[in-house]
Amino acid sequence: MNYKDTLLMPKTDFEMRGNLNKKEPKFVERWKEMGLYQLVDEATKENKPFAFHDGPPYANGNMHMGHMLNKVIKDVIVRTKQMEGYYVPYIPGWDTHGLPIESAIQKLGVNRKTMSVGEFRKKCEEYALEQVNKQKEQLVRMGTMADYDHPYLTLHKSFEANQIEVFAKMAMDGLIYKGKKPVYWSYSSESALAEAEIEYYDVKSPTIFVTFDVLDGKGVLEGDEKFVIWTTTPWTIPANTGICLNANLVYAVVDTEKGKLIMLESKVEELCEKFGLEKHDILKTFKGQELENITCVHPFKEIDPYYERETLVILGDHVTDEAGTGCVHTAPGHGVDDFNVGNLYHLPVLCPVDDKGKMMAEAGEFLAGQHVDAANKTVGLKLEELGHLLHLEFITHSYPHDWRTKKPVIFRATAQWFCSIDKIRDKLLSEIDNTKWLNPWGHIRIYNMIKDRGDWCISRQRSWGVPIPIFYCEDGTPVMDEAVFKHISDLFREYGSNIWFEKDEASLLPEGYTNEHSPNGIFKKETDIMDVWFDSGSSHTGCMKERLGYYPMELYFEGSDQYRGWFNSSLIIGTAVYGKAPYKSVLSHGFVLDGKGNKMSKSLGNVVDPIKLVNQYGADVVRLWATSVAYQSDVRISDEIMKQIAEGYRKIRNTLRFLLGNLNGFKVKDLVGLDDLELVDEYVLGQLNDVIRQTMDAYDRYDFSEANQLMSNYMINVLSAFYGDFTKDILYIEKEDNKRRRQVQTVLYYNLKALTRLYAPILVFTTEELHDYFDFGEEKAVSICMEKMPEVLALPHLEEANHLMSQFMEVRKDVLKALEVKRNDKVIGKSLEAKVTLSLKKEFADVEKLKDTLKLMFIVSKCELTDETDGLEEFETSYIKVEKFNGHTCARCWAVFDEDEMHDEELCERCFDVVNG
């Protein structure tokens, strides 16, 4: 007889191999057909809401690994909160305006010069919508669940209308103004940029040391001295109107071969050596404050009338003795510090540089038309020719770049629209203090950014965006009228912002509108658009408040670069409009690097495509990676890492399959009461209770790596290595309805039910597949994500079980060590060949209560307890002897028995009863 056919081996259609790349698309289609998001939304809408707002990714190109890390973590948060009993409406968003889209469609062959602005904007909109659909499809394939049928886009009419209302509120409160200031200017984009659009890279720059002849010494200097300034931007010398000193530093007049030079006293030796000057006698010293208001001659005075102006010596706290000469070249048109200090002295703000970064005609014939990069060299040569260049050297330093084009930017004073930060800075800092920053360093990072940031330049010289809703009167006065703003908002809500570019001023203004500053009724509309950070920064209003009535949100979650981006702009706009931050808590993730810790780039050839990973491993494996890494810092991904994750997934799947396979034919009605289980069963369920509590706590702290680790450790150490191992003898060998077998199946049932739900937010496809096969009883939901998170079980004898089993597990460690020694010595092969003689030490004496099941739980054929220790080896818990049991092996269960325990030559008494019963 083939006794294998009489065993109750695990049986399930839940396959060992995941075949995720084939199965997952079928689930995606199924969820779409059943309208899963809508079902969940409808089923939970009466629950307590958890307001979670999706920051909009940019609608251009495929989703990269950073996007996928972001979206998977968000999806896990949403699903966890839903299964905890919250109502979590999740509206995905996209940032759809801005320069990258303008650039992208022009690369595709669209010639903006041959069409109107309105026509060009329609091309941009078409492209943006195509990108949204492409990215949406990729996110759906990743298993994320959101209201993808009704996303929010910053180009939507209602969103744009809300943005105008937000702008209007800020304008009417005096927070929006137009002014001429130096702003980050991207000549590669031909537009002003905000701080959030700046990245820093090392560049090699010329550093020049230049002399400015004293014009009027004001009775302090004799008039034949020269101030020595230094700068790393020679092209700004044409815009110089001042030399800034520190009031409290000591300056020296130094007699040299090049005349009387003025510089920091502390730097005389160092600088004169740099300049190649052997003679450097200090004639006089002055505090910086004594030299205030002295005037100098611009070094280019003799070559162009533009330079027939005085350069004023002024004082500023930003001047230090750390580098340079202590005499800072000041061009208010090309630097924030320069502008601010120059403003105190009413210095002229000059900016002889155009939109493309080229020197204008007013800078002189020798510079006109040259790009600032070329002008650096020209200025240096001209200064040398005129005898004003003391020294030229090159330094490598960090310099601001346009984050989109990766090209350097310049500071350029132009008329721009600004949002005042000064007026609300204290309130912003207070709101930061009142927010829970879940990354410990998050608070200080954004606090310092807001504390130190200047006013926000919100205007952009582009076409594709939300227009700044301003009309200018005949005398240039901007119209700041609440009724006009409301009218524009209503127009945008009905027609979209394209109407601004398609209609003339008379058609856009309220009918019959008049203004004292335009006696002839002539108005001119603004052509600039708003910074895209103003778009996304108002999404709390354009999306969450508009559609759900939520403000503030429970949580914002984005990448760590968003402390200067979305977290920042949302805070400013939300606080300005509502007097309160738009979020109660903020969480961020790091960047995704390659396996060596390098930033991904096409040039390095180390970019990892998430869609390729999904096709190779399956989305669940990618999701497992995203939730296994410490995402709050920078994380790594590589083929080797993904292979490790895939192996981890295989172990999870096989453990869950073992549980499911051993519940074949088991129904809810077969459950054994919790008060009728063995102590070892209660112990395992108690361990499961701990996993449930600790995993849910980790989920609530958004520590998904810990949640994964808790579940994995439990399945490996408790289920696979212990309970699932020794109970195979019960599950496979006993009769189907044997009470002990039903007790074990009850434990497996509660484990599978709990673990399937705990893993549901992470392994969305695998747990849905399990859910299809698992008999939950009549209350089974249509999808695993509509089940509730597991609750802990009320175990009546848990304290006793824990006490006894904690002793047993320590004894077991020693028995396993002793078995391993004999296995290595070739005394035994399988542990079932062994007989164990055990003498328990006093503190582990309670283990004797398990004497009838010890051989089963040690997976040996015989275990005898004794008080004697002779011939036994001492271990920490007991004295142990392991020997080969030379008895009779049962052909069915493979255990070894004494002759009187065998029914016949083939079967033990138990197996005979099962086979013939």
Side-chain angles (χ1 to χ4, degrees), residues 619-797:
D620 266 0
V621 176
V622 179
R623 293 175 68 98
L624 187 60
W625 164 80
T627 53
S628 296
V629 294
Y631 69 83
Q632 293 191 29
S633 303
D634 290 347
V635 300
R636 299 186 183 193
I637 192 164
S638 65
D639 287 339
E640 190 58 38
I641 290 170
M642 287 307 298
K643 286 174 184 175
Q644 294 172 10
I645 296 293
E647 177 61 19
Y649 171 80
R650 186 189 65 79
K651 291 177 180 177
I652 294 168
R653 184 178 182 91
N654 284 349
T655 302
L656 295 173
R657 183 174 184 272
F658 171 82
L659 297 175
L660 184 61
N662 281 293
L663 291 171
N664 179 44
F666 185 85
K667 304 294 182 185
V668 174
K669 64 180 178 58
D670 297 322
L671 285 168
V672 176
L674 297 177
D675 58 349
D676 196 19
L677 297 176
E678 297 290 333
L679 289 178
V680 65
D681 303 332
E682 283 205 43
Y683 167 76
V684 171
L685 291 177
Q687 296 286 298
L688 176 63
N689 278 349
D690 290 344
V691 170
I692 292 171
R693 290 191 195 96
Q694 293 167 15
T695 301
M696 291 310 303
D697 176 64
Y699 273 142
D700 287 341
R701 289 183 286 108
Y702 311 113
D703 192 341
F704 307 120
S705 175
E706 182 179 332
N708 265 321
Q709 199 63 52
L710 285 164
M711 291 185 283
S712 177
N713 288 345
Y714 171 73
M715 288 196 295
I716 291 169
N717 298 325
V718 178
L719 290 184
S720 297
F722 173 54
Y723 193 77
D725 199 15
F726 84 79
T727 56
K728 290 174 184 175
D729 184 84
I730 299 167
L731 294 164
Y732 302 174
I733 308 300
E734 298 290 357
K735 290 182 180 179
E736 183 174 11
D737 60 354
N738 173 272
K739 180 180 179 181
R740 184 70 191 110
R741 187 171 187 273
R742 291 303 194 206
Q743 289 172 321
V744 172
Q745 285 183 305
T746 296
V747 174
L748 301 190
Y749 173 90
Y750 285 122
N751 269 276
L752 183 58
K753 185 175 181 179
L755 290 169
T756 303
R757 296 180 186 202
L758 289 174
Y759 267 119
I762 298 172
L763 304 177
V764 296
F765 295 103
T766 303
T767 54
E768 189 76 299
E769 184 184 0
L770 266 170
H771 187 262
D772 287 348
Y773 291 119
F774 187 29
D775 181 11
F776 277 77
E778 292 181 2
E779 80 283 3
K780 182 174 177 177
V782 297
S783 171
I784 184 63
C785 68
M786 296 182 73
E787 301 286 359
K788 298 291 184 220
M789 279 296 181
E791 297 179 356
V792 296
L793 301 166
L795 302 168
H797 313 108

Side-chain angles (χ1 to χ4, degrees), residues 273-328:
E273 183 179 351
K274 185 190 292 282
F275 302 155
L277 302 174
E278 293 184 6
K279 181 183 178 183
H280 48 270
D281 301 325
I282 296 178
L283 302 177
K284 296 178 183 178
T285 60
F286 302 92
K287 278 284 191 75
Q289 60 193 14
E290 299 177 70
L291 303 174
E292 185 179 20
N293 292 319
I294 286 171
T295 59
C296 296
V297 178
H298 195 288
F300 290 160
K301 180 182 179 181
E302 302 303 324
I303 59 176
D304 195 281
Y306 180 69
Y307 301 103
E308 291 179 359
R309 57 177 184 266
E310 296 178 355
T311 289
L312 184 68
V313 176
I314 60 178
L315 304 177
D317 293 337
H318 64 286
V319 180
T320 71
D321 58 359
E322 293 177 4
T325 66
C327 308
V328 176

Side-chain angles (χ1 to χ4, degrees), residues 33 62 75 253 405 456 467 537 683 703 755 811 875-876:
E33 289 176 1
N62 291 319
D75 191 56
V253 177
T405 65
W456 175 13
Y683 167 76
D703 192 341
L755 290 169
V811 173
F875 287 82
E876 288 187 18

Side-chain angles (χ1 to χ4, degrees), residues 74 114 140 274 355 399 458 511 521 523 535 541 591 600 672 698 745 858 860 913:
K74 286 178 179 176
T114 63
V140 170
K274 185 190 292 282
D355 293 2
Y399 190 81
I458 62 169
E511 188 174 351
F523 298 90
D535 294 19
T541 301
F591 290 91
M600 292 187 192
V672 176
Q745 285 183 305
F858 291 146
V860 297
D913 290 343

